[in-house]
Amino acid sequence: MNRLHRLRAPLALAACAGLLAACSSGGGKTSSSQLVYTSVDATNPITAGAPMNPFNASGNYFPSYDTMQLGFDKQNPKDPDDFFPGLAASWTISSTGITVKLQPGAKWSDGTPVTPADIKLSMAIALTQGSATVGAGFLTQGLDVGSVTEVDASTVQIDQAAGGTNLNFARLVLGQYIVPSSVYGSLVPSSIWSTIDDLASADSATASAAVTKLNAIGKAVSAFSPAKDVSAGPFVIARVNPGSAELTRNPDFYALSKIVPSEVILRHFSGNSDIWGYMKSGELDSAPYTSMPTNILDSVLKTGYTRVDSASFVDAAIAFNESDAPYGQAAVRQALAYVIDRQAVTKVGEPVGGTAASDLTGMVESATKQWLTPSQISSLNPYSPDQTKAASLLTGAGFKKSGSQWLLPDGTPWKITLQTVSGFSDWNAAATVVSSELDSFGIPTQVKLTSDFATYKTDMAAGKYAVGFWLIALGPSASAAYQRLYGQDDGYTANANGTVTHADGGGNWQHTPTSYTVNGTAIDPGLLTAQLATLSATAQQTQVQQLALATNEQMPVIPIWDYTNVNFTYDKRFTDFPGASSPDINGLMYNQPGVWMMQGYVKAK
């Protein structure tokens, strides 16, 4: 699967090759001495005409190439603050914030230094982009920056707002995009930090006014179109065409000696098949995770690509809108879990990069084994395919079968529309198997495709789908995994007094209840999830175990497969790529090749 499909332009420029290219993506001649690295950015597709702005929803920006962060996530499930250095050479984390030492010699591509003022501006902008927690809800995963202080010319201290207890604060800071104040400064009023202070006001009118002001600033920033790319990364955007983006090496980059390619070409793609085509013709020097069937894998390997597997903390699942009958009944969701054969679905949907989900806890299997005891794992319901159990659950819930079809308790025929996304080849292939299994069981099921993922998310938030594919278990931390089920996406808001409220709307399309009973004890999944952000890893175990057991019993989603992060490298033009034995391989493969290059990988062959 690829995640984003915002542009469907013809791939007219696909024939231009990478290293020693005879033509660039812009159609111009390049020197035979140039080292051109070609890939695709799976999370940031190209949108011709969109601004070079990381805060624009369709913006052309490419993290680790031209767009920098203070650090890049290593995906360490035991240490959420474990990052590769970015613009931050080092950092010290305290109970209230983080002190960052900038890279010596860090400069923008216009030759001016990266300063603490740039960091302060970038944190303020982040708070205009929906990252802040309104009303000082310090239990949540909001950024909640209270102050940014210049310690010296290369050191900056970033503190949580007073009362903040978010243990994920440092990783949130490290992961923010850093932009130059010389370009974005005029968009942000000098009074913005007073406005940010007002977010935590006990006076609701003051806090509400602050939200309005920040939203207005945020919209202006998002719409801004810089005249040119000013980058602190290893590359600078030279031009963007419908079929590709061309980036040239930034001579002012602080670690220029590590960056071998003189140019990077990032291809546009509108679906997995585009990436398969590039690889089969040997055009890409590396390719990110791309769902593919076995015959395509064989073809790619035959071309000469090397497969690099690493851990993925993502699970493909079927999710429900519980406000849409009959999916508010746990018995219905449990019955469907018994009908769907996850092994068979995974074999067709994700044969290369998927392992059928086994524990069904809302976390991937490897994470479940870290958090639950062997006894608890053995107590989990595996929901092995069993149509007899499914029928018993439905009959107990008032459903009846007439001939070969199941009827709802009111006597009307039960039909399912299973929603997925055009171009998501794994979801779509899997949906056909699920549809066939449900049809055979007596529930006619129609697969419907939404044109693109952005529309899919919008429609989901609007409650337009009763049943659809969804990504869950987005770790590596348990906190992040359960936020997906019982956090802001499900209408939960943490309040300053430590309580958590739950409301419809605002992106809450799952509509899960606010109370589950686990082993005779009532729990509030939203409250437990919010608490995870305030507890150390060792102190989270009770909450994680309760959430895992509740999720296994209630089945708010049916996990289908755990992903494996399958990347590909091609050593015909470059060598020294990260491999399976490389330190921090999970983090390297999670990030784009710009991070690999900053770490000293990717050399000329």
Side-chain angles (χ1 to χ4, degrees):
M1 193 195 77
N2 60 67
R3 308 284 184 264
L4 299 170
H5 302 261
R6 295 185 301 206
L7 180 65
R8 296 185 173 281
L11 300 172
L13 300 176
C16 292
L19 178 69
L20 307 179
C23 61
S24 74
S25 63
K29 296 283 187 182
T30 61
S31 165
S32 60
S33 63
Q34 286 187 306
L35 298 172
V36 183
Y37 189 94
T38 305
S39 187
V40 297
D41 187 328
T43 55
N44 291 280
I46 295 158
T47 305
M52 295 176 287
N53 177 352
F55 305 108
N56 183 282
S58 301
N60 291 307
Y61 65 98
F62 306 102
S64 83
Y65 295 111
D66 76 310
T67 301
M68 288 293 283
Q69 304 168 180
L70 293 172
F72 294 91
D73 194 351
K74 287 187 179 179
Q75 291 280 285
N76 183 344
K78 291 293 188 182
D79 182 1
D81 299 326
D82 194 8
F83 274 58
F84 296 110
L87 282 177
S90 60
W91 51 89
T92 303
I93 299 171
S94 70
S95 60
T96 58
I98 177 172
T99 301
V100 168
K101 192 76 173 178
L102 297 176
Q103 292 281 1
K107 290 182 179 179
W108 299 101
S109 53
D110 62 5
T112 60
V114 177
T115 68
D118 296 322
I119 310 305
K120 185 171 186 176
L121 175 77
S122 300
M123 293 300 149
I125 290 177
L127 293 170
T128 71
Q129 304 296 310
S131 297
T133 300
V134 176
F138 298 129
L139 282 178
T140 75
Q141 282 68 33
L143 186 58
D144 291 326
V145 173
S147 63
V148 180
T149 306
E150 178 178 339
V151 177
D152 58 39
S154 61
T155 309
V156 60
Q157 181 172 327
I158 305 155
D159 287 315
Q160 296 194 58
T165 56
N166 187 352
L167 292 184
N168 294 312
F169 180 75
R171 68 177 281 111
L172 289 172
V173 168
L174 292 169
Q176 297 302 317
Y177 297 136
I178 305 302
V179 294
S181 52
S182 63
V183 176
Y184 287 83
S186 63
L187 303 172
V188 179
S190 58
S191 61
I192 190 167
W193 284 98
S194 295
T195 305
I196 290 169
D197 287 343
D198 288 343
L199 284 174
S201 173
D203 179 74
S204 60
T206 300
S208 178
V211 171
T212 301
K213 288 181 183 178
L214 293 177
N215 284 343
I217 297 168
K219 288 181 180 178
V221 170
S222 299
F224 177 57
S225 181
K228 64 177 183 179
D229 187 29
V230 178
S231 163
F235 298 93
V236 186
I237 297 175
R239 61 184 62 86
V240 177
N241 302 304
S244 62
E246 179 182 337
L247 298 90
T248 56
R249 188 165 50 199
N250 175 11
D252 291 305
F253 182 57
Y254 61 83
L256 186 63
S257 63
K258 293 182 178 179
I259 309 303
V260 170
S262 58
E263 188 176 340
V264 167
I265 302 292
L266 298 174
R267 297 283 186 221
H268 168 68
F269 65 99
S270 57
N272 294 333
S273 60
D274 293 339
I275 301 175
W276 303 342
Y278 294 147
M279 284 196 285
K280 286 193 287 185
S281 60
E283 292 185 41
L284 304 183
D285 294 297
S286 64
Y289 166 77
T290 308
S291 175
M292 60 179 60
T294 303
N295 65 314
I296 297 296
L297 171 67
D298 293 342
S299 179
V300 165
L301 295 177
K302 186 177 179 180
T303 301
Y305 282 89
T306 297
R307 172 177 173 163
V308 183
D309 287 5
S310 59
S312 172
F313 296 90
V314 182
D315 188 291
I318 292 175
F320 304 95
N321 180 348
E322 295 187 24
S323 69
D324 196 334
Y327 307 105
Q329 299 182 62
V332 170
R333 303 188 299 272
Q334 293 164 345
L336 294 176
Y338 279 119
V339 174
I340 296 171
D341 183 339
R342 301 186 300 279
Q343 291 281 357
V345 175
T346 303
K347 187 175 181 179
V348 174
E350 194 56 73
V352 173
T355 302
S358 58
D359 295 326
L360 313 191
T361 62
M363 300 182 288
V364 297
E365 182 179 357
S366 59
T368 297
K369 286 181 166 45
Q370 290 183 10
W371 286 105
L372 270 60
T373 67
S375 174
Q376 288 172 324
I377 291 174
S378 66
S379 73
L380 296 171
N381 187 341
Y383 294 93
S384 301
D386 190 328
Q387 294 196 0
T388 301
K389 287 184 178 178
S392 176
L393 283 164
L394 293 176
T395 301
F399 290 69
K400 296 179 181 177
K401 200 168 188 181
S402 175
S404 61
Q405 181 167 2
W406 282 95
L407 306 179
L408 296 167
D410 66 3
T412 59
W414 183 11
K415 298 179 181 179
I416 290 177
T417 298
L418 177 57
Q419 202 76 28
T420 178
V421 185
S422 179
F424 283 26
S425 58
D426 53 349
W427 286 9
N428 299 337
T432 62
V433 180
V434 172
S435 170
S436 176
E437 291 175 347
L438 293 173
D439 283 345
S440 297
F441 181 66
I443 309 172
T445 299
Q446 177 188 17
V447 177
K448 289 190 69 174
L449 306 183
T450 303
S451 60
D452 58 82
F453 193 49
T455 303
Y456 189 73
K457 290 191 294 184
T458 301
D459 287 350
M460 263 192 165
K464 294 184 179 179
Y465 309 145
V467 185
F469 269 85
W470 192 231
L471 295 175
I472 65 165
L474 306 186
S477 71
S479 174
Y482 285 114
Q483 269 290 319
R484 192 68 165 177
L485 296 179
Y486 311 117
Q488 292 177 344
D489 285 346
D490 197 29
Y492 282 97
T493 300
N495 304 305
N497 61 3
T499 63
V500 174
T501 54
H502 181 260
D504 287 337
N508 172 21
W509 71 276
Q510 297 175 99
H511 298 280
T512 61
T514 56
S515 179
Y516 289 146
T517 299
V518 180
N519 297 328
T521 301
I523 67 164
D524 181 338
L527 178 61
L528 293 178
T529 298
Q531 289 174 345
L532 293 180
T534 70
L535 300 172
S536 67
T538 54
Q540 293 178 14
Q541 189 142 7
T542 298
Q543 284 82 356
V544 173
Q545 290 172 343
Q546 288 178 312
L547 287 165
L549 296 174
T551 301
N552 179 259
E553 179 180 308
Q554 295 293 325
M555 283 288 106
V557 295
I558 301 175
I560 303 298
W561 64 73
D562 294 349
Y563 281 99
T564 299
N565 188 13
V566 182
N567 285 249
F568 295 92
T569 58
Y570 191 64
D571 65 356
K572 304 302 181 187
R573 297 175 286 260
F574 292 92
T575 186
D576 290 350
F577 290 98
S581 60
S582 300
D584 301 312
I585 187 62
N586 292 341
L588 288 167
M589 292 296 110
Y590 175 77
N591 287 287
Q592 296 294 314
V595 170
W596 309 354
M597 297 175 196
M598 285 186 261
Q599 294 301 307
Y601 292 98
V602 184
K603 303 298 183 188
K605 188 167 184 178

